[in-house]
Amino acid sequence: MSSGYLGTPVLQNVSFTIEEPAIYVVLGPNGAGKTTLLRTLAGILRPYHGELRIGGVGYDDPASHGRLHYLSHMDGIPDGLRVRDALDFYARVERASAADVERVLDLLDIRSLAGQYLSQLSAGQKKRVSIARIFLQERDIYLLDEPTSNLDPKVAREIRTLILELSRNKIVLYSSHNLFEAREVGRYVLVIRNGQLTLFDRIENLRSSRFVIGIRVLEPSAALEGYDRQGDYFLRELSGPGEVPALLRDLESRGVKIREVREMDNPLEELFG
Amino acid sequence: MPTAHRAETTPSLVGTTIRRAIVLGRIYLVIGIAYCVVLTAVTSVSASSSSLAGVAVFLPVFAVVGAMGGMMVFTNDRLKGVLEYLLSYGFTPRRLFVNVLVASLVLASIVLGTALALGVGLSVAKGHPITVPLAELLGLYSIPMSYASVAFAETVGMFWTSLSSPRSGMTSSVGLVPILGIAPAVIVVIVLTAAHALALPGELAALAVVGIAVLLMLSLIGRLLPLERLLSPT
């Protein structure tokens, strides 16, 4: 299918089928079309060409209704309400019960916030409330647009854990531009580049053609002569991560005081061009 | 295209929207009511019953100011992605517009109710009867024009919000709505002042123009506002 905004295409000839319950990470640089893909799958944007089908039936078939949850990259927080009222608001929209609201207050650990106005919450707390709505009702497919953006690492990890549990028997499409996050949660990856699906594969097959590490040291050393430099980092190309410990032992034995070691090449740079 | 996760019918959110409009627009509501109270109190000191007529002519202005909470809900919801969320669950743009419009009219009713109760109460308490021309002015112009002005202001504001990037200050919809909304009522006041008379036919004509403009805009929502216009632009 192809889709976009106000007649201007963003996604072009994107086609894929998903059957296995898992997390499918939609990766791509900013503006590639990740949000457009999820909005189209959510039924907000109408495809210009092509067709969307769930369980073999089109979106206009009542059998397809009530099978998706969509979480946009915006919080979707209805200001002017307290947390519990906001959850009641979501529950009303999604035909969930008061018991479901009570359940997600505990699940997302936001019961202590229930009486607070949403405007009083931090960004992380708002995100928790926002994400809580997708746990009000079970659906078959979850479309999550950057669900952990703007969260501190601890909260982001907690949210990812919840989503991982969810994905045991559900299909989750999870957009991100962070490869490391993708590797942590995803089983499959869909790479969107310039509005086209350029890769759909298992995530472990996503690797760089080169493995380059950067070494940052406390003070310059003659042992690092001949290394290329990138900012504060001395670069060394290896055949794989297995060679790193031996290299570090060798450098340390030659008096190099190592401060930091990191992988320099990001496969996303190759994929995104 | 139907969304694949909507329910068979979308629920009413009017009650929640009214509550949110009161919370978000409480300052405007207080200002609208305060204007009414002050003007009514000041004019009630006058010995003439026609002083209430002066208040009655200004009621649409107070109503527009007091009903700003509805506009604030709409603007806020577009920016924060709430409209996108609701659209994904099968709400139509028209449904979202009407939802906010109803909330705004309820806020306007609070202002009107306060103004009328106070104005009529003080007038009667001072022994000034509610004359037939005054009742006509209130019933045929002030009250309907207040609702029409609020509907006009909110509809223009929602179109403006939907068709533009987020703005702040006086060019935002929240900045523009009071100015646009009070324009018809102010024009009527200026014309009536220039004519030195309360000309009911002129007031009814103004009311009809505003009412038609509102109905026209509401009928064009489907054509002028595709779903994309209601998505958060950020």
Side-chain angles (χ1 to χ4, degrees):
Chain A
M1 58 87 180
S2 302
S3 73
Y5 301 91
L6 302 171
T8 304
V10 173
L11 292 177
Q12 297 185 14
N13 301 319
V14 171
S15 181
F16 60 90
T17 301
I18 287 176
E19 293 178 346
E20 180 188 347
I23 294 182
Y24 296 75
V25 181
V26 181
L27 277 175
N30 290 333
K34 302 187 296 293
T35 295
T36 307
L37 175 64
L38 295 188
R39 281 173 169 168
T40 309
L41 294 175
I44 298 172
L45 299 176
R46 191 186 298 263
Y48 300 146
H49 307 288
E51 189 184 15
L52 305 169
R53 298 172 77 84
I54 295 181
V57 298
Y59 275 28
D60 53 351
D61 190 317
S64 75
H65 294 174
R67 300 190 62 179
L68 289 176
H69 262 308
Y70 168 61
L71 185 75
S72 79
H73 65 291
M74 302 299 295
D75 284 339
I77 292 282
D79 276 351
L81 294 178
R82 297 177 194 274
V83 169
R84 184 185 291 277
D85 296 332
L87 291 173
D88 287 339
F89 171 86
Y90 296 139
R92 190 170 175 76
V93 172
E94 298 172 28
R95 309 279 187 192
S97 66
D100 291 322
V101 171
E102 296 302 318
R103 180 176 49 77
V104 300
L105 280 170
D106 292 326
L107 182 68
L108 273 294
D109 194 20
I110 50 177
R111 185 172 289 283
S112 60
L113 306 175
Q116 289 189 37
Y117 275 105
L118 293 160
S119 55
Q120 298 171 322
L121 305 184
S122 67
Q125 290 169 328
K126 281 184 181 174
K127 197 73 177 186
R128 277 174 183 272
V129 175
S130 173
I131 287 175
R133 70 175 185 245
I134 65 169
F135 292 96
L136 284 168
Q137 287 266 17
E138 270 201 19
R139 302 284 166 96
D140 300 321
I141 301 167
Y142 292 73
L143 309 171
L144 312 179
D145 196 356
E146 300 191 9
T148 57
S149 61
N150 302 322
L151 292 180
D152 66 60
K154 180 174 175 290
V155 177
R157 195 172 303 114
E158 289 170 5
I159 298 294
R160 283 197 290 270
T161 302
L162 281 171
I163 295 170
L164 271 168
E165 287 174 17
L166 186 70
S167 68
R168 279 188 207 155
N169 57 352
K170 306 290 180 190
I171 289 171
V172 180
L173 270 81
Y174 182 117
S175 83
S176 175
H177 50 246
N178 184 333
L179 176 65
F180 301 102
E181 180 180 42
R183 281 180 163 157
E184 189 177 334
V185 299
R187 189 179 304 165
Y188 293 91
V189 61
L190 292 89
V191 176
I192 304 283
R193 184 179 167 196
N194 296 328
Q196 296 190 320
L197 181 64
T198 56
L199 180 75
F200 184 2
D201 202 350
R202 291 188 74 90
I203 203 134
E204 61 263 29
N205 295 334
L206 187 64
R207 60 181 66 218
S208 173
S209 57
R210 298 194 316 152
F211 183 74
V212 178
I213 62 166
I215 302 164
R216 199 148 62 110
V217 295
L218 291 173
E219 53 194 49
S221 166
L224 294 167
E225 275 183 19
Y227 277 59
D228 288 334
R229 291 285 297 267
Q230 183 177 318
D232 291 339
Y233 293 93
F234 292 88
L235 305 181
R236 182 71 181 266
E237 183 172 347
L238 303 172
S239 59
E243 291 184 0
V244 175
L247 173 68
L248 298 183
R249 276 197 301 273
D250 175 55
L251 290 174
E252 282 171 344
S253 70
R254 293 158 64 188
V256 178
K257 293 177 179 173
I258 296 171
R259 185 174 179 184
E260 182 195 355
V261 179
R262 58 173 285 200
E263 186 179 345
M264 299 301 282
D265 267 10
N266 183 342
L268 288 183
E269 290 173 9
E270 295 174 22
L271 288 167
F272 297 171
Chain B
M1 183 180 69
T3 56
H5 46 153
R6 71 174 185 180
E8 287 300 308
T9 56
T10 50
S12 169
L13 300 175
V14 170
T16 311
T17 308
I18 291 169
R19 264 198 301 155
R20 295 179 60 208
I22 290 173
V23 172
L24 293 178
R26 58 189 180 277
I27 293 175
Y28 287 97
L29 188 60
V30 168
I31 290 172
I33 292 172
Y35 280 169
C36 288
V37 170
V38 170
L39 192 59
T40 306
V42 168
T43 53
S44 70
V45 173
S46 162
S48 165
S49 65
S50 65
S51 60
L52 185 56
V55 178
V57 170
F58 279 103
L59 276 184
V61 176
F62 307 144
V64 168
V65 173
M68 280 298 297
M71 190 68 253
M72 295 177 79
V73 168
F74 188 83
T75 307
N76 203 290
D77 282 0
R78 184 193 181 216
L79 201 59
K80 300 280 180 71
V82 179
L83 295 186
E84 180 170 347
Y85 164 69
L86 294 173
L87 289 170
S88 76
Y89 280 84
F91 284 78
T92 62
R94 186 188 305 276
R95 184 84 191 277
L96 297 173
F97 264 50
V98 170
N99 198 37
V100 168
L101 201 53
V102 171
S104 302
L105 295 176
V106 170
L107 295 190
S109 299
I110 296 173
V111 176
L112 289 177
T114 307
L116 290 173
L118 193 66
V120 173
L122 284 174
S123 193
V124 170
K126 290 198 65 153
H128 297 146
I130 305 299
T131 60
V132 172
L134 181 58
E136 282 180 352
L137 176 65
L138 288 170
L140 296 177
Y141 174 74
S142 300
I143 295 172
M145 186 60 160
S146 295
Y147 287 119
S149 294
V150 168
F152 176 75
E154 298 293 317
T155 312
V156 170
M158 285 189 278
F159 269 98
W160 180 257
T161 299
S162 306
L163 296 173
S164 62
S165 302
R167 297 163 193 267
S168 58
M170 292 307 288
T171 56
S172 72
S173 48
V174 176
L176 282 172
V177 157
I179 297 167
L180 291 170
I182 65 174
V186 168
I187 290 169
V188 169
V189 171
I190 291 170
V191 170
L192 293 180
T193 305
H196 301 290
L198 290 175
L200 197 56
E203 293 160 353
L204 291 178
L207 173 61
V209 169
V210 174
I212 290 169
V214 170
L215 292 175
L216 195 63
M217 284 189 284
L218 287 176
S219 68
L220 290 175
I221 287 172
R223 273 191 212 162
L224 295 181
L225 286 183
L227 297 182
E228 293 100 307
R229 290 291 189 194
L230 301 180
L231 303 178
S232 171
T234 54

